């Protein structure tokens, strides 16, 4: 699991291996995972369309290409465990079990959205399902995860936190502080680096000499693990092991899920600054495509069954657009001062 | 009633609240083993153990943020920034996370976080250990800001802060820990948003808070004795929300007003209060409001210079006379 | 003269200054390869190379501090914080190091640092990408703060900022990059501390800066056309130092004043300006100064709500009418 | 050089080895180093006395016990190289060649002091000698060192920066950010951790799971070195090697100088919170005493010669007190607004 994956300039990406049948996931759960991956794919494909069509505004970042990470990781959690997120939060939210209608409503700025139209893409949150919110400030979700792990520890409620963050996020000071404290206090948290090797237009190798990010774990006295971030089962297995360690009171793990950003940084990014011929080969490892092939190759599902799942995802997303655009309401001006303070308190 | 110091009152407040509510925790540099360098948190580790009284590494951004995350998931963390000058390190977590989380998430979380931030100047601690930044937080919707000074208020407002479901920045004055006063033996709280009138008077209203309210009271007493001037001294205690009802009520009586802060004059809280007073009752004013504040300089080490920078009783008296100037 | 956008004017400013002075460097997230996500720094990497145009990791506290250290040892760094909301991360290095180093060290170092901080609201970017914190920095002696809006001023003041031997917080409005205007082809600078009168008038003075000065001008033009009200529109451009001479000169003529900011009302710069006006010329006022600002709420994502929060031309017009109310 | 020194609870501290004659330091330089160590010892012993006597105020932290680190490290520098400091800056300032009179004048708040009476102990700076200033905010000196290394790189002036910081400082976010950037950009800077295993009353082992701080270097792709922080020659050799690497354009090194805080955190700290019987044995490794014994043992200096050096240090410090208390002036009120802005500009 700690084999070194190719970096962008290795070209062919041959080190990514085929998906193997995981030991403990029955087919039902695998289908569930595939559905979630398709939902993410469809959702964020649609979001791009809607954004370019001016139906959605602000900044929106697509999780397309990273589906294996959120889905693989969240599959290792209980429903009431926590996750923290980044600016690229749609995938995390869906993987943790959110209602797509409420997500789409939020992106449309509607009152029925998860955030009552006040958050949008960058702050999408589904606290009820333990999704503690996307944040637009890179790195700022790190200590939030430390806090939820701390509260689990104090309250003794056994909850685990997964802290998703990008390679870019690993260079924020709070990243270091968070991991050091989580390690020192032996907290039940799993750090999952979504290492797509890019931060907007900046390659990881330009801003960190050691690009094997999992190696940093050594400095904190915790395990560091490298996995193929395009491989949903590999992510699942690594996170599952880390979650088990955490539940057993053995503290945090740092998991680097290495892959490559396939699309632009945000939905309207044309990536003029990037040599796309180098990205091209990595589409072979498209996690949705790979999982599909896996089902066929291992004769686990028939084409028809797969298409059914895909169609279901597509329909859900279509439905969510209808819901958000025609069945929801604009938040009234009277909601402006609502929810700044708890219990309806208003300080003008 | 017992006579307690501010230090004891704050310590009692945390202790009693931690006894009452197992979700209250305390974290910061040296709050546990050492009981905080000012002695404010002494004994809490012994009573509540290291799970709830946590010596952090020197990671202000991270442990403040941990407080936010813990608050969002069921705890009531008290986070200590030993000198409020270093709250600069935690601004992102306070301003962009704690203050906004509830709103950004459509009301789905509460963030019952208390950030205790000893502040104020004096003692030759120089530029990085003497600052007062309350107006920064006053500028951020979603926060509450308080700055009590008497032992009674310190304890009562600390309880209110801990029980409040919103993030509260609790400015305790680091040169006030020895101040003594009466504190009830039974449980009580002091609400936010209610100012205290420390002295009644009809000539000039002095609006103040924290250490400045003590200086204002002294100035008022001297002015009364020396010149028969009757000042009404208001101790705001709570800055956000701020009790404009009491302020305007007093102004309606005196028609003259002095506003005091210990922070640097420019960009400070006193300006905000003056502007609000103008909005709320320009016609009540018989003379322009006068501000008293620190000079616009970084705090120098030399104590003679420092004393020139910190607003003094003398300067408050001069401000009152200025407010009365055309009478 | 050429017609340039603000984006081009800023780019030209950096380019020309980097040509002229080899000690000028630029650092920030994505300023090099990508030429900054807004395109402001495009082409600079190609011309000046990676030693001087540096793509940083996402380490705002660290790279801002590196700017301070580099400034103290012979460079003139321009540090970019892509959205000024995140300047929260760098407060310690700006406030406790950059602003104070010279003073703390008895004048032994200069800190010629420029922090470029795109700010302002609009576009549905929500609570963490829409804020204006200029008054925080106004509160910190040792800093200079500017907020130009025209292409001419943006370039001219950027040059002044780079050449200034003090730390300067340079607030450029992130929704202004497309604004066009005349810019001289030859080298020029615009000094700090000098406001520009955008429109002369005798009825009411409108004090504004950055995007608000454009809205103020529009409000003034509409008021003149619609109701014959003659506003004098002042664009401060420089906030610290602030040109009170021009402000008070205008007030002496109009005796009525409106002060506009895009930041949340409470704790903002407009209050500070109002308080200073009171100090400097209470008697000049025929009516209470009126402030226009964003509502005291975190910025909501929904654009209809956002539009309610951001101060509008309409609100400026209403403020002018209020200032004229008792006329 | 990477042998693991005992932690506090190992008790006897036998792993500290005797000082050996260093290969490249002639006796003259060794005497110089000893004089500097004595100056630091005398200076900070006097400062404590003066503080308790109310002659000096504010916060003052003693460098007693750490002399080997600043002196060993600075001996590897050229006079125009840079150092950055901490809240515990007297030792660094003296080691870099400062005038003790101006230092003492500063602590007395006098206009003749390095900082014109505006800085005091916590901000002592001697920019002329490349000492870029003490800072009262733990960790805040880290990026300053990054900046001076960056300027050396841009200006091509060959200057090296040593960044001194405590074990406590290693847990600040900017520590991580600084080391990551210095490594990524291959900058000429040497990071020296003064690991006295305490931060005020908090033991390092309570706040970091991995207390071998030099191991963190691995995560940044730079060398990490552990040395005996009570051993002036070991510090010197390690720093020298790191400085040579830096001068050769090979980037930063992380050096952990491990020792133990022998005295209180600040001059008036009685350490009630600490078991002093555990500290007691470490006085055997008192770096000043050890160097003295080294001179005798190796017959390099006679007792008399050593006493002469010590007397010289003592006299200099006595002299500085006379200077500061009787020959200097209070800064006038007219200096209040001086030096906030450059070139005499005043903004009231
Ligand atoms: C503190 C901060 N600095 C800069 C940005 C601008 N920004 C937004 S996303 C991003 C890149 C993040 O990279 P990474 O963490 O690797 O996540 P990815 O986008 O690759 O998923 C940057 C620099 C920001 N949002 N916050
Ligand atoms: C940001 C910040 N947090 C807390 C403090 C209070 N404080 C002053 S010194 C110190 C301990 C520093 O420990 P270390 O870095 O190991 O240096 P040492 O004192 O041991 O030499 C602390 C916590 C501070 N000055 N700055
Ligand atoms: Mg990335
Ligand atoms: Mg230490």
């Amino acid at each position: 699991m700690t084999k070194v994956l190719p970096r962008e300039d290795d070209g062919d990406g041959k080190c990514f291996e085929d998906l193997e049948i995981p030991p403990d996931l029955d087919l039902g759960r695998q289908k569930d995972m595939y559905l979630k991956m398709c939902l993410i794919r469809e959702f964020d494909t649609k979001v791009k369309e809607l954004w370019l069509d001016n139906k959605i505004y602000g900044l929106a970042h697509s999780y397309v290409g990273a589906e294996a990470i959120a889905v693989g990781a969240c599959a290792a959690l209980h429903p009431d465990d926590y996750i923290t997120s980044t600016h690229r939060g749609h995938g995390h939210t869906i993987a943790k079990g959110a209602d797509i209608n409420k997500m789409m409503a939020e992106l449309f700025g509607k009152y029925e959205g998860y955030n009552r139209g006040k958050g949008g893409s960058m702050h999408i949150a589904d606290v009820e399902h333990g999704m503690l919110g996307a944040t637009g400030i890179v790195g700022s979700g790190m200590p939030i995860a430390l806090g939820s792990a701390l509260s689990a520890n104090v309250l003794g409620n056994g909850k685990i936190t997964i802290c998703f963050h990008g390679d870019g996020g690993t260079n924020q000071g709070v990243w270091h502080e968070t991991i050091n404290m989580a390690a020192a206090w032996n907290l039940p948290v799993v750090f999952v680096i979504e290492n797509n090797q890019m931060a907007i237009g900046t390659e990881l190798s330009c801003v960190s000499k050691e690009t094997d990010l999992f190696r940093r774990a050594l400095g904190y006295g915790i395990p560091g693990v490298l996995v193929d971030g395009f491989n949903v089962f590999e992510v699942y297995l690594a996170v599952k092991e880390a979650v088990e360690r955490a539940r057993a009171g053995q503290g945090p793990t740092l998991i680097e899920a290495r892959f490559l950003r396939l699309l632009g940084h945000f939905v309207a990014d044309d990536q003029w600054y990037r040599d796309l011929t180098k990205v091209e080969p990595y589409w072979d490892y498209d996690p949705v495509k790979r999982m599909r092939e896996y089902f066929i190759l291992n004769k686990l599902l028939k084409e028809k069954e797969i298409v059914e799942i895909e169609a279901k995802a597509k329909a859900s997303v279509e439905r969510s657009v209808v819901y958000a655009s025609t069945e929801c309401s604009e938040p009234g001006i009277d909601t402006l001062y609502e929810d700044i303070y708890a219990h309806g308190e208003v300080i003008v | 009633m017992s006579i307690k110091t501010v230090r004891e009152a704050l310590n009692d407040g945390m202790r009693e609240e931690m006894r009452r509510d197992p979700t209250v925790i305390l974290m910061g540099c040296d709050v546990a083993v050492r009981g905080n360098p000012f002695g404010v948190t002494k004994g809490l580790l012994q009573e509540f153990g290291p799970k709830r009284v946590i010596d952090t590494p020197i990671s202000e951004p991270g442990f403040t943020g941990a407080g936010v995350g813990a608050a969002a998931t069921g705890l009531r963390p008290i986070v200590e920034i030993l000198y409020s000058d270093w709250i600069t390190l935690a601004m992102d977590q306070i301003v962009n996370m704690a203050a906004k989380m509830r709103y950004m998430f459509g009301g789905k979380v509460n963030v019952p976080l208390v950030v205790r931030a000893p502040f104020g100047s004096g003692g030759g601690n120089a530029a990085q250990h003497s600052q007062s930044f309350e107006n920064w937080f006053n500028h951020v919707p979603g926060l509450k800001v308080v700055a009590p000074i008497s032992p009674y208020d310190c304890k009562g407002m600390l309880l209110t802060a801990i029980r409040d479901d919103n993030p509260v920045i609790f400015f305790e004055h680091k040169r006030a820990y020895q101040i003594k006063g009466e504190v009830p033996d039974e449980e009580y709280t002091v609400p936010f948003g209610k100012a205290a009138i420390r002295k009644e008077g009809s000539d000039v209203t002095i609006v103040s808070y924290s250490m400045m309210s003590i200086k204002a009271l002294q100035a008022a007493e001297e002015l009364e004795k020396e010149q028969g001037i009757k000042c009404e001294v208001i101790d705001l205690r709570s800055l956000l929300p701020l009790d404009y009802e009491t302020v305007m009520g007093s102004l309606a009586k005196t028609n003259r007003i002095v506003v005091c802060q210990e922070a640097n004059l420019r960009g400070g809280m006193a300006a905000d209060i003056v502007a609000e007073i103008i909005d709320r009752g320009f016609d009540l004013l018989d003379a322009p409001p006068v501000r008293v504040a620190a000079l616009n300089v970084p705090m120098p080490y030399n104590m003679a210079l420092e004393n020139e920078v910190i607003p003094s009783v003398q300067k408050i008296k001069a401000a009152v006379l200025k407010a009365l100037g055309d009478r």
Side-chain angles (χ1 to χ4, degrees), chain A, chain B:
Chain A
M1 217 179 271
T2 53
K3 67 188 186 300
V4 175
L5 294 175
R7 310 225 170 120
E8 199 181 354
D9 44 18
D10 292 354
D12 70 344
K14 275 288 176 307
C15 288
F16 292 105
E17 283 164 22
D18 287 338
L19 270 60
E20 282 169 31
I21 298 185
D24 72 333
L25 285 174
D26 63 32
L27 187 59
R29 292 187 66 199
Q30 293 178 36
K31 282 170 67 180
D32 254 23
M33 288 165 80
Y34 188 61
L35 174 61
K36 284 209 169 118
M37 287 175 64
C38 290
L39 277 171
I40 295 171
R41 177 65 53 103
E42 293 296 333
F43 189 88
D44 270 353
T45 304
K46 179 61 72 179
V47 163
K48 176 172 179 167
E49 206 182 299
L50 292 163
W51 198 94
L52 294 173
D53 206 21
N54 282 319
K55 293 287 197 305
I56 286 174
Y57 39 84
L59 289 163
H61 305 85
S62 168
Y63 204 74
V64 166
E67 293 91 342
I69 302 176
V71 172
C74 289
L77 289 182
H78 297 168
D80 64 349
D81 287 330
Y82 295 119
I83 64 169
T84 63
S85 178
T86 63
H87 55 290
R88 199 179 293 288
H90 305 169
H92 307 134
T93 318
I94 294 173
K96 196 63 179 48
D99 175 346
I100 284 186
N101 284 352
K102 289 191 190 166
M103 287 179 65
M104 194 57 89
E106 183 56 34
L107 269 57
F108 272 76
K110 297 298 170 74
Y111 192 67
E112 289 77 3
Y114 270 119
N115 312 44
R116 302 229 172 276
K118 284 169 175 160
S121 165
M122 264 192 305
H123 306 301
I124 193 86
D126 176 14
V127 179
E128 230 174 283
H129 286 100
M131 194 298 196
L132 297 176
T135 173
I137 301 180
V138 176
S140 66
M142 297 295 307
I144 303 301
L146 182 67
S148 57
L150 190 62
S151 82
N153 194 44
V154 173
L155 300 171
N157 59 19
K159 294 190 188 187
I160 304 295
T161 299
I162 292 181
C163 173
F164 292 104
H165 57 276
D167 51 298
T170 64
N171 290 328
Q172 274 288 10
V174 284
W175 184 89
H176 166 65
E177 297 179 349
T178 295
I179 298 199
N180 179 61
M181 283 187 265
W185 301 336
N186 225 35
L187 294 179
V189 51
V190 180
F191 297 102
V192 177
I193 309 175
E194 300 177 338
N195 183 5
N196 63 8
Q197 305 179 54
M198 291 289 284
I200 307 189
T202 302
E203 292 179 23
L204 175 62
S205 58
C206 294
V207 291
S208 284
K209 185 165 183 182
E210 176 53 74
T211 54
D212 280 349
L213 296 174
F214 70 95
R215 290 193 202 282
R216 290 191 186 169
L218 229 120
Y220 306 100
I222 60 170
V225 181
L226 175 67
V227 298
D228 172 355
F230 283 135
N231 185 326
V232 67
F233 295 140
E234 224 184 271
V235 172
Y236 168 77
L237 289 173
V239 173
K240 195 179 147 235
E241 197 181 315
V243 167
E244 278 163 10
R245 286 189 69 248
R247 276 202 218 285
Q250 291 167 351
T253 303
L254 178 67
I255 297 174
E256 175 186 351
R258 195 175 301 170
F259 65 123
L260 194 71
R261 202 182 78 205
L262 298 176
L263 296 182
H265 170 66
F266 78 112
V267 291
D269 175 10
D270 64 8
Q271 305 196 80
W272 60 264
Y273 51 84
R274 201 175 174 202
D275 180 355
L276 290 179
T277 62
K278 289 196 176 157
V279 178
E280 196 53 41
Y282 285 83
W283 277 101
D284 286 351
Y285 303 97
D286 169 352
V288 178
K289 198 185 90 180
R290 261 168 117 189
M291 196 167 187
R292 185 181 221 285
E293 286 167 0
Y294 153 86
F295 283 130
I296 302 276
L297 217 74
N298 291 279
K299 303 196 189 346
L300 295 170
L301 294 178
K302 300 208 184 71
E303 171 78 19
K304 191 177 147 264
E305 291 169 292
I306 297 176
V307 168
E308 259 173 41
I309 297 175
E310 290 162 356
K312 189 174 165 191
K314 208 175 182 71
S316 299
V317 170
E318 290 299 342
R319 175 75 194 93
S320 75
V321 177
V322 173
Y323 174 72
S325 55
T326 67
E327 299 170 25
C328 291
S329 50
E330 290 288 319
I333 297 304
D334 55 310
T335 68
L336 253 186
Y337 286 92
E338 211 172 71
D339 290 325
I340 302 177
Y341 296 97
H343 312 302
E345 186 180 4
V346 172
I347 304 177
V348 179
Chain B
M1 287 283 181
S2 308
I3 300 294
K4 299 260 181 182
T5 61
V6 165
R7 179 182 286 112
E8 290 163 339
L10 291 168
N11 188 287
D12 288 352
M14 285 185 269
R15 185 185 308 274
E16 289 166 25
E17 209 52 15
M18 289 184 83
R19 281 183 189 157
R20 206 185 59 83
D21 181 349
T23 69
V24 178
I25 66 162
L26 170 66
M27 53 201 297
C29 293
D30 294 291
V31 296
V33 169
R34 191 147 183 232
N36 149 304
F38 301 126
V40 178
T41 62
K42 237 179 178 169
L44 299 178
L45 170 67
Q46 289 69 23
E47 181 164 350
F48 303 104
K51 254 195 189 177
R52 292 178 65 198
V53 182
I54 305 171
D55 270 335
T56 60
I58 309 174
S59 307
E60 280 79 1
F63 70 71
T64 305
V68 180
T73 53
L75 296 186
R76 296 188 171 276
I78 307 169
V79 164
E80 178 182 295
I81 307 277
L82 182 60
Y83 283 71
S84 78
D85 306 63
W86 317 329
I87 210 164
T88 47
L89 288 162
M91 289 305 280
D92 187 57
Q93 288 294 324
I94 294 174
V95 171
N96 287 324
M97 300 300 272
K100 297 180 169 51
M101 231 187 204
R102 182 185 171 78
Y103 195 76
M104 288 192 308
F105 295 178
K108 303 290 170 60
V109 283
N110 289 335
V111 184
L113 171 73
V114 179
V115 179
R116 284 184 38 242
F119 81 134
S121 48
N125 285 321
Q128 293 178 339
H129 286 68
S130 302
Q131 297 167 92
S132 301
F133 291 134
E134 60 277 11
N135 201 38
W136 284 1
F137 302 95
N138 182 46
H139 197 29
V140 180
L143 299 178
K144 296 187 176 183
V145 185
V146 299
I149 191 72
S150 73
Y152 179 93
D153 286 346
C154 283
K155 181 175 175 188
M157 294 184 88
L158 184 55
L159 259 62
T160 303
I162 294 170
R163 295 178 191 182
D164 198 297
D165 275 336
N166 301 289
V168 178
I169 315 296
F170 190 95
F171 285 109
E172 50 194 66
H173 200 289
K174 65 175 133 40
R175 309 208 48 98
Y177 291 122
Q178 305 284 21
I179 288 176
K180 284 187 182 154
E182 288 207 326
V183 176
D185 297 319
E186 59 281 4
E187 188 182 313
Y188 73 99
T189 59
V190 174
F192 291 176
K194 290 269 163 268
I197 296 181
R198 297 296 178 202
K199 179 180 183 304
E200 305 219 345
S202 48
D203 293 336
V204 179
T205 299
I206 311 181
V207 175
S208 60
Y209 53 96
S210 193
M211 193 61 94
M212 294 306 290
S213 74
I214 291 180
K215 293 188 182 178
L217 191 59
Q218 191 184 330
E221 277 161 4
E222 291 180 16
L223 283 167
E224 178 147 27
K225 212 154 82 191
E226 291 160 9
Q227 311 187 37
I229 297 168
K230 292 190 174 55
C231 295
E232 179 142 309
V233 178
I234 296 177
D235 175 359
L236 293 172
R237 307 191 292 193
S238 166
L239 305 181
L240 177 61
L242 193 149
D243 183 2
Y244 280 107
E245 207 178 304
T246 296
V247 172
M248 298 313 289
S250 178
L251 181 62
K253 193 164 64 172
T254 62
N255 306 114
R256 289 163 200 274
I257 198 156
V258 169
V259 185
C260 309
Q261 72 184 26
E262 192 173 322
N264 299 114
L265 178 70
R266 191 172 46 234
M269 185 83 207
D272 206 50
I273 297 171
V274 165
E276 275 296 319
I277 289 169
I278 298 279
D279 280 2
R280 290 166 191 255
F282 189 70
D283 296 340
L284 297 176
L285 290 166
D286 283 353
V290 181
R291 288 176 294 161
V292 180
L295 302 180
N296 292 321
V297 305
M299 191 59 78
Y301 166 69
N302 178 288
M303 281 181 79
L305 293 186
E306 184 188 43
N307 280 331
E308 285 298 311
V309 176
I310 303 176
S312 61
V313 170
Q314 208 42 51
K315 281 184 187 163
I316 301 173
K317 287 167 74 176
V320 169
L321 295 177
K322 187 171 170 206
L324 284 167
D326 57 348
R327 191 175 62 161

